[in-house]
Amino acid sequence: MLFRSYIGKVATVNTNSNMLTNSKAEWIYDAVSGTQSATIQIKDSSGKIVYTGPVADVSAGRHTFSWDGKTTSGSSLPDGGPYTAIITTKDAKDKTATLTPMIQGLVTGVENVNGAVLLSIGKNKVPSSAVVGVANPA
């Protein structure tokens, strides 16, 4: 299986879903030129919005949003999930757009589940079809 060669590599995957581990979850996003502001909403596994806040870096390019597992009101949420991120941007004319979040991490396993190849990245299982990049660890 070709995807076994991903084991031990760092993969970047298009997915808005991530697990909270040790009170931390990160999403990567690509901001486009002209973005004036961005907001992130994070939902728990039942679909309830648990966090809403600004995204600090909206300059053009790739950035990381790191979440500490706290709700908008400051309560700590349990590790696990999955938690889902939705990033909405606005430009100078108040036009909105939704960015496609990504996660990145070390691939530790590959498995075939009902005909779909899934990669294990941390506690996440993601479809191989969502991989947008693979690199050697730094």
Side-chain angles (χ1 to χ4, degrees):
M1 180 185 298
L2 170 68
F3 294 105
R4 290 200 191 283
S5 65
Y6 286 12
I7 295 175
K9 306 283 187 188
V10 175
T12 303
V13 183
N14 277 338
T15 181
N16 62 353
S17 179
N18 202 351
M19 302 296 281
L20 186 63
T21 305
N22 298 321
S23 299
K24 184 177 181 182
E26 291 185 336
W27 287 270
I28 299 167
Y29 61 97
D30 288 327
V32 297
S33 180
T35 300
Q36 297 294 308
S37 66
T39 302
I40 189 166
Q41 283 187 334
I42 298 175
K43 297 180 180 182
D44 65 14
S45 59
S46 69
K48 177 184 171 192
I49 297 170
V50 294
Y51 176 82
T52 301
V55 174
D57 197 344
V58 294
S59 61
R62 184 160 285 182
H63 307 285
T64 301
F65 179 85
S66 186
W67 178 53
D68 61 5
K70 293 189 177 175
T71 64
T72 306
S73 63
S75 302
S76 294
L77 293 170
D79 281 357
Y83 291 94
T84 304
I86 300 163
I87 302 171
T88 306
T89 64
K90 284 189 179 184
D91 66 13
K93 296 180 181 178
D94 240 10
K95 181 179 175 187
T96 62
T98 301
L99 302 181
T100 302
M102 297 171 276
I103 64 169
Q104 187 176 66
L106 188 67
V107 177
T108 57
V110 177
E111 61 186 292
N112 189 321
V113 177
N114 299 324
V117 177
L118 300 179
L119 306 179
S120 296
I121 299 176
K123 294 182 179 181
N124 297 289
K125 300 235 186 230
V126 296
S128 59
S129 59
V131 172
V132 295
V134 177
N136 288 317

